[in-house]
Amino acid sequence: MDSIQQSFSVRFTYPVHFTEYLFDQANPLLLSFFEQQRTEGFQKKALFILDEGVTQHHPNLPAQIAAYFKTQSFVQLIPDLITVPGGEQAKNDPALIGRLIDAIDNYGIDRHSYVVAVGGGSVLDLVGYVAAISHRGIRHVRIPTTVLSQNDSGVGVKNGVNYQGKKNFLGTFAPPVAVFNDFQFLTTLDDRDWRAGISEAIKVALVKDPAFFERMEADANALAHRDLEAMKYLVHRCAELHMQHIAGGDPFEMGSSRPLDFGHWSAHKLEYLTDFEVRHGEAVAIGMALDCLYANRIGWLSDNETDRILNLMRTLGFSLYHPALDTDNSEGVLRGLTEFREHLGGRLTILLLKTIGRGVEVHDIDAELVRQSIAFLRETETQPV
Amino acid sequence: MDSIQQSFSVRFTYPVHFTEYLFDQANPLLLSFFEQQRTEGFQKKALFILDEGVTQHHPNLPAQIAAYFKTQSFVQLIPDLITVPGGEQAKNDPALIGRLIDAIDNYGIDRHSYVVAVGGGSVLDLVGYVAAISHRGIRHVRIPTTVLSQNDSGVGVKNGVNYQGKKNFLGTFAPPVAVFNDFQFLTTLDDRDWRAGISEAIKVALVKDPAFFERMEADANALAHRDLEAMKYLVHRCAELHMQHIAGGDPFEMGSSRPLDFGHWSAHKLEYLTDFEVRHGEAVAIGMALDCLYANRIGWLSDNETDRILNLMRTLGFSLYHPALDTDNSEGVLRGLTEFREHLGGRLTILLLKTIGRGVEVHDIDAELVRQSIAFLRETETQPV
C-alpha cells in the first residue's frame, strides 16, 4: 500500500549573554529576559537549582537571588532554592534526578515556567536533563559558572547523566531558552578549574581558528596569572565558535562526524582510569597532546607546530602526562579507542591535525604509535603534583 | 556586555507506511527500509520490544520476526525479543524503564542502531521514551497495532510515561525514524479497542475536515460491524490529518494552542476517575459529547449538528455516559478543568465547535452548563455494560 512522508523543521533560538554581577539589582539583564517572555494570562514560575560548589564560594547567592526577583512580577521565584552537589557526583546519583523531578511536580513548574541552573557543567547537565524530560520539556535557563561550562557545554544543546557508571548514558538534545555567562563567577574558581576550561578553547582553535590559537599564545602568561580580561576574550570567542559549529552543522548529531571530539577518545578513558581525579579539561589537554604527537609521527603536524601546541599548554600550567596513561592492560587508555568506536556506532572516527586550524578524520589508529607518544610524554613531562 | 544569538533549525523526516502482513517473507517493506538506511562501516542492530497484548493474539510473532530477518544482513536482529505488558500499566512501572535501558546497554544499541516497538499506544509511548533518553536518542521504529496508535499517537512525535500517578509527567518530543501500520493487527483487537480508536478520527474530522466526518457517517454501520476496508480509509485519513497538523503547526508544542485536545479535558479526568477502566478513546467520545452539548448550549453548534455527532458515536457503539461523570466532589470531572489549565501553564484554553469542521478557542467554561450537559447525557444514554 502507500505511505505518507512526514517532514518538518523545528526552529530553536536562544541568546547567550556575557555579563558580570548578574544578580546585582543594578543589572537588568536577567529581569529583561523574563519581562520579554511574559505571556498574557500565564503566571510563569522560576525554580532555581544551585551548584553547592558555587554557594560555598558565594554564600550570599541565595539571598541575592531572592532580593533580585523581589522587585518584579514578570516571573514568580520559587522561594525554595535547591542546592545540589557539584562535579561528576551530580551526574552519578539517580536520587538527585528524583529529587529535582519531585520539586518540579510539587512547585507546579509547567511547560511555560522555567528551571534555572546555576553551576558548573555537571550541574547544568543534570538540570538540563531533568528539565528536558519533565512535561516533555520545561524551559531551562543556564547560568554557567566555570570556564568550561561558559565556553563550551553551557552554551550548547546537550544534557546528560551517568547510568550505572556509563558516562552520559541518559540524556537528550534540548536547547536552553537562554544562557547568562557571568564572568565574576570565574574569579572564585580554583586554579585547576580556571585552567582546565581553557583546554576546550585550545581544542576549538586547533580545529577551527588558527588566529584564535595565536591569540592564546600571546595571552598565555596573562591567562596563567588569572587575568580576567584575557579570559573574557577567550570565553567569548570559544563560545562563539562552539555555537557556530552547532548551528552550521548537525545540532542534534544525527550524522557521525564529530570534529569537536578532538583529543577526547583518550581523555574520556583517562577520566575513568583516575576515577575523575583528573578533571575533564585536564584530560582533554593530555588527550590533545597525545593526538598531536601521533599526528606528528605519521607526518602530518610539523615538529614546530607540535612544539607550539605542547608549549602553550605547558605555559598555562597543564600537566601533559599522568601515570594512568601507562595502565598496561586491557583496560588501559587504548581501550578508549574501542569504547569510542562503540560510542560512535561501530566505525572509529578520530580527527587528527594536518596543521593548526585544520583537522582530517581517520578511521584507524596504530596502537604502537600511541604507545610511543605516551612514552614521549612520560619522558618529557614532570610528574603531576 | 554583548550577547550572541543562537539560531538553527533541525529537520525531521519519517515515512508512515500502510501495509498488511508486515513480517511475511513476501513483504519486502520493512527490510527495504533497513536496506536504505545502511551506512558503510556501521553494523546496525535492531532491538524489538513487543506488547504482551499483541503476542497473546499472535503467539507466532516472535518466530515470524526472527525468520523475517534471517535472510538479510542489513541489520542485525537482537535474538532476545523483549515482551512488556500492554496498556496503561506499561507506563506506570518504573522498573520497566530500567529493564529496557539495561537491554539497550547490554546489547550495545547505539545511536546508529534501532529500537523497534510493536504494540499499542502505551507500549509505543514507553519504548519511545526509553529510546529518546538513551544515548541522547536512539533511532526508533514504531509498529502500532491498534486503531488508536495507527491513526494518532503512533504517527506523531510524542512519547511519555507516568510518574507517581501523573500521566505523561515524563516524556519528550522525539520523532520516530519510520512508522509501519499493519492493518492485519486490527483484526484481532477486541471490539472495545476497535471502536475506541475511532474517536480520535471523529475528533480530527470535527476540528479539521467536515468531508471526513460525512464519510464516517456513511461508513458508520460498516465500521460498527468491523469492516476492515472502511477502517483502512479511516486510519489512513486520520493519520494524514494528524501528520499535517504536526508539520503545519508547532510540532514540539512550544506555544499554547492545542486544537487536537478537543474533548480531552474531561476525558483525561474520566480515565483517572475510573482507574482507566474507561479507555482513552471511550473517554474522548464522552468528552466530545459533553463539549458538543456545551457548545450547543452557548448557541454555537446547531441542534442538528449536535445530534449528528452524538448519533454517529452511538451508531459506532460508544456509551456517552459513565456514572463517574457524576462524581460530585472536588475531585469530580470539573476538577479536570483546573488540571487542564495547570497542564497548559496557567491559562485555560478549550476548543469548542462553532460548526462541524471549525472550532474556536475559549478561555472560560461555565461549570453549571457542564453539569447540565452531564445531566442530559445521564438521562438520554443507556448505562454502560
Side-chain angles (χ1 to χ4, degrees):
Chain A
M1 290 188 65
D2 66 337
S3 61
I4 306 172
Q5 183 68 28
Q6 179 64 299
S7 178
F8 58 83
S9 291
V10 179
R11 185 143 203 88
F12 298 93
T13 63
Y14 58 93
V16 176
H17 297 286
F18 299 87
T19 188
E20 292 186 74
Y21 305 104
L22 182 65
F23 296 109
D24 192 300
Q25 308 268 356
N27 189 337
L29 190 62
L30 186 58
L31 284 189
S32 319
F33 167 77
F34 287 116
E35 185 177 7
Q36 283 159 23
Q37 298 256 318
R38 271 185 310 175
T39 314
E40 181 65 31
F42 292 93
Q43 175 57 64
K44 300 180 176 187
K45 303 174 190 173
L47 175 67
F48 271 72
I49 322 270
L50 311 177
D51 186 326
E52 207 171 78
V54 176
T55 53
Q56 273 163 6
H57 283 100
H58 303 267
N60 289 330
L61 187 62
Q64 240 186 320
I65 292 172
Y68 185 77
F69 281 92
K70 206 170 245 171
T71 57
Q72 52 79 48
S73 59
F74 311 135
V75 65
Q76 178 196 336
L77 176 71
I78 301 296
D80 175 18
L81 280 67
I82 297 172
T83 304
V84 296
E88 199 67 19
Q89 51 181 324
K91 301 174 64 166
N92 277 331
D93 182 3
L96 275 180
I97 300 174
R99 200 181 133 208
L100 297 184
I101 290 173
D102 288 342
I104 286 169
D105 182 14
N106 294 335
Y107 292 119
I109 306 299
D110 54 44
R111 285 173 54 77
H112 296 278
S113 289
Y114 303 87
V115 172
V116 185
V118 184
S122 296
V123 169
L124 302 184
D125 269 4
L126 164 69
V127 175
Y129 176 65
V130 167
I133 62 173
S134 297
H135 294 303
R136 299 201 182 100
I138 289 167
R139 293 158 198 240
H140 74 291
V141 172
R142 293 207 195 114
I143 302 177
T145 56
T146 62
V147 176
L148 189 58
S149 54
Q150 289 194 358
N151 72 11
D152 188 78
S153 61
V155 303
V157 298
K158 299 188 202 179
N159 59 56
V161 295
N162 307 331
Y163 180 74
Q164 298 185 342
K166 313 235 165 177
K167 194 164 167 70
N168 293 327
F169 191 91
L170 299 179
T172 73
F173 291 91
V177 293
V179 181
F180 296 87
N181 276 337
D182 180 342
F183 292 130
Q184 278 300 315
F185 283 118
L186 307 183
T187 62
T188 54
L189 294 176
D190 69 29
D191 284 345
R192 284 181 69 186
D193 279 333
W194 170 279
R195 181 189 306 119
I198 299 175
S199 63
E200 296 287 348
I202 297 173
K203 179 198 72 180
V204 76
L206 287 175
V207 172
K208 289 181 178 281
D209 187 350
F212 183 32
F213 183 81
E214 284 162 26
R215 169 76 182 249
M216 276 188 278
E217 285 182 305
D219 285 350
N221 274 308
L223 289 165
H225 292 89
R226 303 201 57 150
D227 181 301
L228 191 59
E229 292 308 312
M231 185 57 97
K232 287 181 188 174
Y233 179 85
L234 181 142
V235 166
H236 188 285
R237 180 63 184 149
C238 182
E240 188 171 44
L241 287 165
H242 191 68
M243 290 168 69
Q244 284 169 2
H245 174 78
I246 291 169
D250 177 17
F252 289 1
E253 297 179 10
M254 293 165 176
S256 51
S257 178
R258 300 171 52 147
L260 291 192
D261 279 341
F262 173 59
H264 277 57
W265 70 266
S266 54
H268 285 311
K269 194 67 198 173
L270 198 55
E271 284 177 85
Y272 263 96
L273 286 172
T274 63
D275 209 9
F276 294 93
E277 198 283 308
V278 175
R279 298 181 191 175
H280 181 67
E282 295 168 340
V284 169
I286 294 173
M288 290 192 293
L290 212 53
D291 285 358
C292 285
L293 290 166
Y294 185 98
N296 177 252
R297 271 163 179 69
I298 61 170
W300 286 17
L301 199 62
S302 72
D303 291 351
N304 174 257
E305 288 191 309
T306 308
D307 283 347
R308 280 173 61 197
I309 296 167
L310 269 61
N311 283 336
L312 171 60
M313 296 198 283
R314 288 178 186 130
T315 305
L316 291 166
F318 283 108
S319 298
L320 301 182
Y321 174 77
H322 189 285
L325 284 174
D326 279 312
T327 307
D328 196 15
N329 62 34
S330 62
E331 281 305 305
V333 166
L334 281 165
R335 169 76 190 156
L337 279 176
T338 312
E339 289 172 4
F340 199 65
R341 192 187 68 227
E342 286 169 359
H343 179 68
L344 293 179
R347 185 186 198 195
L348 186 66
T349 300
I350 300 273
L351 188 108
L352 292 175
L353 296 182
K354 282 276 187 187
T355 180
I356 289 172
R358 190 166 75 83
V360 171
E361 288 178 342
V362 300
H363 302 290
D364 284 298
I365 291 287
D366 180 335
E368 181 47 33
L369 292 183
V370 174
R371 285 190 203 99
Q372 285 179 20
S373 304
I374 292 174
F376 178 88
L377 289 174
R378 186 195 321 118
E379 286 153 23
T380 54
E381 291 295 308
T382 51
Q383 300 294 311
V385 189
Chain B
M1 291 190 65
D2 65 339
S3 61
I4 305 172
Q5 183 68 30
Q6 178 65 299
S7 178
F8 58 84
S9 291
V10 179
R11 185 143 203 86
F12 298 94
T13 62
Y14 59 91
V16 175
H17 297 286
F18 299 86
T19 188
E20 293 186 75
Y21 306 104
L22 181 66
F23 296 110
D24 191 301
Q25 308 269 356
N27 188 337
L29 190 63
L30 186 58
L31 284 188
S32 321
F33 167 76
F34 286 116
E35 185 177 8
Q36 283 158 22
Q37 298 256 318
R38 272 185 309 174
T39 314
E40 182 65 33
F42 291 92
Q43 175 56 65
K44 300 180 176 188
K45 303 173 190 173
L47 175 67
F48 271 72
I49 323 271
L50 311 177
D51 187 326
E52 208 170 79
V54 176
T55 54
Q56 275 163 5
H57 283 100
H58 304 267
N60 289 330
L61 187 63
Q64 239 187 322
I65 292 172
Y68 185 77
F69 282 94
K70 204 170 244 170
T71 57
Q72 53 79 49
S73 59
F74 311 135
V75 66
Q76 179 196 335
L77 176 71
I78 302 295
D80 175 18
L81 280 68
I82 297 172
T83 304
V84 295
E88 198 68 19
Q89 50 181 323
K91 301 174 65 167
N92 277 332
D93 182 3
L96 275 182
I97 301 174
R99 199 179 134 209
L100 297 184
I101 290 173
D102 288 343
I104 286 169
D105 183 15
N106 294 336
Y107 292 120
I109 306 299
D110 55 44
R111 284 173 54 77
H112 297 278
S113 289
Y114 303 88
V115 172
V116 185
V118 185
S122 295
V123 168
L124 301 184
D125 269 3
L126 164 70
V127 175
Y129 176 66
V130 167
I133 63 173
S134 297
H135 294 303
R136 299 200 182 100
I138 290 168
R139 294 158 198 241
H140 73 291
V141 172
R142 294 208 194 112
I143 302 176
T145 56
T146 61
V147 176
L148 189 59
S149 55
Q150 289 193 358
N151 72 9
D152 187 79
S153 61
V155 303
V157 298
K158 298 187 200 179
N159 59 55
V161 296
N162 307 332
Y163 180 73
Q164 298 185 343
K166 313 235 166 179
K167 193 163 168 72
N168 293 327
F169 192 91
L170 300 179
T172 73
F173 290 91
V177 292
V179 181
F180 296 87
N181 276 338
D182 180 343
F183 291 129
Q184 277 300 315
F185 282 118
L186 307 183
T187 63
T188 54
L189 294 177
D190 69 29
D191 284 345
R192 285 181 67 186
D193 279 334
W194 169 279
R195 181 189 306 120
I198 299 175
S199 64
E200 295 288 347
I202 298 172
K203 178 198 73 180
V204 76
L206 287 176
V207 172
K208 289 180 177 281
D209 187 350
F212 184 33
F213 183 81
E214 285 163 24
R215 171 75 181 249
M216 276 187 279
E217 286 182 304
D219 285 351
N221 274 309
L223 289 166
H225 293 90
R226 302 199 59 150
D227 181 302
L228 191 59
E229 293 307 311
M231 184 59 96
K232 287 182 190 176
Y233 179 84
L234 180 142
V235 166
H236 188 285
R237 181 62 185 149
C238 182
E240 188 171 44
L241 286 165
H242 192 68
M243 290 168 68
Q244 283 169 2
H245 174 78
I246 291 170
D250 178 16
F252 289 2
E253 297 178 9
M254 293 166 178
S256 51
S257 176
R258 300 171 52 149
L260 292 192
D261 279 340
F262 174 60
H264 276 57
W265 71 266
S266 54
H268 285 313
K269 193 66 197 173
L270 198 55
E271 285 177 84
Y272 263 96
L273 285 171
T274 63
D275 209 11
F276 294 94
E277 198 283 309
V278 175
R279 298 181 190 173
H280 181 66
E282 295 168 340
V284 168
I286 295 173
M288 291 192 294
L290 211 53
D291 284 359
C292 286
L293 289 167
Y294 185 98
N296 176 251
R297 272 163 179 68
I298 60 170
W300 286 18
L301 199 62
S302 71
D303 291 352
N304 174 258
E305 288 191 310
T306 307
D307 283 347
R308 280 173 62 196
I309 297 168
L310 268 60
N311 283 336
L312 171 60
M313 296 197 285
R314 287 176 186 132
T315 306
L316 290 166
F318 282 107
S319 298
L320 301 183
Y321 175 76
H322 189 285
L325 284 175
D326 280 312
T327 307
D328 195 15
N329 61 34
S330 62
E331 280 305 304
V333 166
L334 281 165
R335 168 77 191 154
L337 279 177
T338 311
E339 289 172 4
F340 199 65
R341 192 186 69 228
E342 286 169 359
H343 179 68
L344 293 179
R347 186 188 200 194
L348 186 67
T349 300
I350 300 272
L351 187 109
L352 292 176
L353 295 183
K354 282 277 187 186
T355 179
I356 289 173
R358 191 166 75 85
V360 171
E361 289 179 343
V362 299
H363 302 291
D364 285 298
I365 291 288
D366 179 336
E368 181 47 35
L369 291 183
V370 174
R371 284 191 204 97
Q372 286 178 19
S373 304
I374 291 173
F376 179 89
L377 289 174
R378 186 195 322 116
E379 287 152 25
T380 54
E381 291 297 306
T382 50
Q383 300 294 311
V385 188

